[in-house]
């Protein structure tokens, strides 16, 4: 990926941090995007320590102005934009009946609107990169979930957002693939990250019990899959990747 620039949202923890690290190892200059700048700075220092290039972009992508500014700053400072990993997301599980609807608002604002704002701001640059650059192809990878393929109780609005990510990905893929912007969706099963930390206490206990006996995926496993997708030869588009822990039914 030498000579290319990647933009990774949710890079302050979990899958996004692992992906930032992995793409930098493969030679991309990486814009690290999230709200917790201290965490991004630690990761940037680590990447730079290994000889890589990283830009810290403290951003709340649910604010469209900030999402646009993050993309524009990346292009201004790193020179171009070849790869976007739309990873930031939140999972607030629980029954729909009597749900605190503020949780729904948070999921829709980040998992859908934030992802859309980033895609919209990045696409003109990805189309340019696909026409000019070291690879003549560009990538937009959206992180969905097993929850984007299968609805289950206590996951209704999270399912809604991730099914939406899958549908948007496929429509956009059809729109831009002939212009060599590859649009892919990755659907992880249970991964060890901070995702469950945001659940209400009583919900977290139940959710944890479901996967208690499962050896979960590591964030690096998903970063590896993303790196595979974005390093394929120009003629190969991996449209969709579903990755579960082996013991997850
Ligand atoms: P984490 O909670 O570890 O990471 C979520 C990331 O999103 C953090 O870096 C967080 O950074 C960032 N984020 C949250 N709000 C915003 C915001 N408003 N603006 C910018 N960034 C934001 O979870 P994961 O790594 O697990 O999650 C990554 C993706 O993977 C999500 O889309 C999730 O739905 C998906 N996924 C995860 C699975 C799992 O089992 N872990 C399974 C299937 C899918 P900060 O707080 O600093 O802004």
């Amino acid at each position: 990926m030498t000579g290319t620039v990647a933009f990774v949202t949710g890079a302050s923890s979990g899958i996004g941090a692992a992906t930032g690290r992995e793409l930098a190892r493969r030679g991309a200059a990486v814009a690290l995007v999230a709200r917790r700048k201290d965490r991004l700075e630690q990761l940037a220092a680590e990447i730079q320590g290994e000889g890589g290039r990283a830009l810290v972009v403290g951003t709340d992508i649910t604010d469209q102005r900030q999402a646009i500014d993050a993309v524009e700053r990346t292009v201004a400072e790193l020179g171009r934009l070849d790869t976007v990993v739309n990873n930031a997301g939140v999972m607030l599980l629980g029954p729909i009946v009597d749900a605190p609807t503020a949780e729904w608002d948070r999921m829709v604002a980040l998992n859908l609107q934030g992802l859309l704002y980033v895609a919209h701001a990045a696409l003109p640059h990805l189309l340019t990169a696909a026409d000019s650059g070291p690879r003549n192809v560009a990538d937009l990878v959206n992180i969905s979930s097993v929850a984007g393929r299968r609805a289950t109780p206590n996951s209704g609005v999270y399912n809604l957002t991730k099914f939406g990510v899958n549908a948007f990905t496929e429509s956009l893929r059809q729109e831009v693939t002939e212009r060599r912007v590859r649009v892919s969706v990755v659907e992880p099963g249970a991964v060890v990250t901070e995702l469950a930390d945001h659940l209400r206490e009583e919900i977290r206990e139940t959710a944890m019990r479901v996967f208690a006996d499962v050896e979960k995926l590591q964030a690096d496993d998903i970063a590896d899959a993303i790196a595979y997708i974005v390093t394929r030869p120009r003629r190969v588009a991996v449209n969709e990747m579903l990755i579960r822990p082996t013991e997850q039914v």
Side-chain angles (χ1 to χ4, degrees), residues 27-55:
V30 184
L32 304 171
V33 184
R35 295 168 304 177
R36 287 171 294 176
K37 275 185 81 177
D38 53 332
R39 301 274 291 258
L40 298 178
E41 269 151 16
Q42 276 174 23
L43 178 57
E46 193 190 311
I47 288 171
Q48 284 149 7
E50 290 180 17
R53 192 164 176 213
L55 175 70

Side-chain angles (χ1 to χ4, degrees), residues 73 75 78 92 109 111 130 190:
R73 193 177 146 213
V75 175
L78 299 178
L92 304 169
N111 302 4

